[in-house]
Amino acid sequence: MNGLQSKLAKTTVAAGLTFTLLFSASTMLPVSTTYAAEVTQTIEGTVKLPKVQVIATGGTIAGKSVDETSFQNYKAGTLLMEDMVKALPNLKKFADVTSYQFGNAGSGSYTMQQLYDLSLKVDKALETQDGIVVTTGTDTMEEIAYFLDLTVRSSKPVVVTGSMRPWTVIGSDAQANLFNAIKLAASGKTKYYGTVLMLNDEIHTAREVTKTNAYRTDTFESPQLGILGYIDENNIRIYRANSRALLTADKWATPFDLTKIKSSDMPKVEIAYAYQDAGAGAITGFVQDGAKGIVTSGTGAGGISKAMGEARTKAIKENGVIFVATTRTGSGSNYTSSDGIIAGDNLNAAHARILLELALSFSSDFNTIKGWFDTYGSGQVTIADK
């Protein structure tokens, strides 16, 4: 090897080591301040970037692993969003990004009263921001997203994201999901869609999406109805409209304005799961524990056992409990309503519980609540005559 070859080899090795250090999965480094300043100088004179705030609640996306290859051995809700945002390159090309640390815990640990506070924080932020990204754990992400979908008053983009792998492992989906969620919020393309969920380059409506796998990065699906669209680098494609996007401005917001109630007004609502020869204990226990509403996750088109049925009838007649019938099958609709029982349409049990809890927070009238399920809950598309 001659002198020139030796020098080239050393340069290559040094560059490789530098790249490894800069992009180590366990390293949290901000974007170069020199680069950021250059971009700001270039853009400030010509383009006003959309303002996007990332509101962080924790979850796997903020998880720190034992080492760079510990995909399952990690502590969720450890890293701070301020550092995570700083570690993403090229954000200044399309958004003016800030962050707010609402919390740092797993999604399932948040109470409904805390979701109340989260929704109000999102609306407050949207008074000055052009879009919001909310990061959460994936375990109950669909419920958090649907709660925001039903309660946020602003029609500006709200994008919920997270990851199936912690931030600090090789091959993590965390960085790409956060980057693309910010890009989607900044684009404005989901304005009037309500809250949407973005993971794995796919965009879903909050009402329809559900988690389908414990570990895979493509875990979120919208059964039968499908995704709204994709993000492929700079190409953000929306291929269909949900019912919210087609409503006129005066009808867009739901009745669930959280500024009209206190978080303590939100009642206890539970889910009773049906199975072969299921007993009455779940429903009976929920009623004794003070539940004002119960969602049944029934077999087939919403069937429940004889014992569950008898307990349900008693709860309706003696305690005024309102029930919503859904199916445990993962897709399909329920159309049967009767005294004290509301058909959940194609909402899954977790989503139906969110809607029932909000409905009971604003009314105890059965027909009013049934009407909200028939309109806001059903999500049916209506096209006005042209």
Side-chain angles (χ1 to χ4, degrees):
M1 180 182 292
N2 59 34
L4 177 60
Q5 289 174 324
S6 177
K7 185 178 293 185
L8 285 172
K10 290 178 181 177
T11 301
T12 302
V13 170
L17 288 172
T18 301
F19 182 85
T20 301
L21 288 171
L22 282 173
F23 293 95
S24 170
S26 61
T27 302
M28 298 291 300
L29 291 176
V31 179
S32 165
T33 53
T34 302
Y35 172 77
E38 290 173 353
V39 173
T40 303
Q41 288 176 354
T42 302
I43 291 177
E44 281 182 344
T46 57
V47 179
K48 182 180 179 181
L49 294 175
K51 294 190 290 185
V52 175
Q53 185 167 90
V54 182
I55 300 178
T57 71
T60 296
I61 192 170
K64 185 174 182 179
S65 55
V66 172
D67 57 44
E68 292 88 343
T69 57
S70 294
F71 294 96
Q72 296 176 27
N73 191 4
Y74 63 90
K75 184 178 179 181
T78 300
L79 306 177
L80 296 178
M81 184 52 62
E82 180 182 6
D83 296 325
M84 294 162 67
V85 168
K86 287 179 180 178
L88 295 178
N90 298 332
L91 289 179
K92 285 287 187 179
K93 289 184 176 181
F94 56 84
D96 178 7
V97 184
T98 58
S99 65
Y100 177 84
Q101 197 73 43
F102 179 86
N104 218 354
S107 58
S109 67
Y110 284 95
T111 66
M112 299 305 293
Q113 287 68 36
Q114 288 173 313
L115 296 191
Y116 169 99
D117 293 336
L118 176 62
S119 179
L120 292 180
K121 169 57 186 174
V122 170
D123 257 324
K124 182 65 176 177
L126 285 172
E127 293 177 4
T128 58
Q129 302 294 308
D130 298 301
I132 293 292
V133 172
V134 177
T135 61
T136 78
T138 60
D139 285 356
T140 60
M141 179 180 285
E142 63 190 87
E143 292 159 77
I144 294 173
Y146 193 45
F147 184 91
L148 295 175
D149 184 53
L150 290 171
T151 57
V152 171
R153 315 310 291 167
S154 174
S155 60
K156 294 178 182 178
V158 178
V159 181
V160 175
T161 195
S163 69
M164 293 298 290
R165 296 173 178 173
W167 186 272
T168 55
V169 296
I170 59 172
S172 176
D173 55 332
Q175 291 85 355
N177 285 345
L178 181 57
F179 184 87
N180 279 341
I182 294 170
K183 181 178 286 188
L184 177 60
S187 75
K189 287 202 170 186
T190 60
K191 186 177 182 181
Y192 297 114
Y193 273 76
T195 300
V196 301
L197 186 146
M198 200 302 303
L199 276 91
N200 202 43
D201 304 334
E202 297 179 344
I203 307 163
H204 298 261
T205 67
R207 179 192 175 276
E208 295 153 6
V209 72
T210 191
K211 186 173 182 178
T212 65
N213 191 282
Y215 292 113
R216 302 288 77 80
T217 57
D218 60 351
T219 179
F220 284 96
E221 297 180 9
S222 295
Q224 294 191 316
L225 301 178
I227 65 175
L228 289 174
Y230 305 99
I231 298 182
D232 291 321
E233 197 167 334
N234 293 325
N235 300 298
I236 301 176
R237 295 290 187 261
I238 305 293
Y239 291 105
R240 69 178 179 92
N242 63 356
S243 60
R244 296 290 300 279
L246 299 175
L247 295 175
T248 56
D250 60 317
K251 296 180 180 179
W252 186 85
T254 72
F256 311 124
D257 183 352
L258 297 182
T259 63
K260 307 297 184 183
I261 66 170
K262 302 185 295 293
S263 62
S264 58
D265 293 332
M266 300 179 69
K268 183 182 290 293
V269 176
E270 304 287 359
I271 298 174
Y273 192 85
Y275 48 89
Q276 195 72 43
D277 197 26
I283 291 177
T284 301
F286 288 150
V287 174
Q288 291 175 347
D289 199 35
K292 302 300 181 184
I294 296 176
V295 176
T296 56
S297 182
T299 57
I304 59 177
S305 68
K306 180 180 178 181
M308 287 183 71
E310 291 172 349
R312 178 173 65 180
T313 300
K314 181 179 180 181
I316 293 169
K317 291 182 177 180
E318 297 183 6
N319 302 92
V321 177
I322 294 179
F323 283 78
V324 175
T326 67
T327 175
R328 72 178 196 181
T329 59
S331 62
S333 300
N334 184 293
Y335 303 114
T336 304
S337 294
S338 59
D339 291 342
I341 305 171
I342 297 171
D345 201 275
N346 64 349
L347 290 173
N348 67 27
H351 290 183
R353 176 185 169 269
I354 295 294
L355 177 53
L356 182 57
E357 182 156 351
L358 284 169
L360 284 166
S361 301
F362 286 83
S363 178
S364 59
D365 181 69
F366 176 81
N367 289 325
T368 298
I369 294 173
K370 182 178 181 298
W372 287 337
F373 268 84
D374 290 340
T375 51
Y376 300 101
S378 71
Q380 295 183 69
V381 170
T382 302
I383 306 295
D385 290 338
K386 298 185 183 298

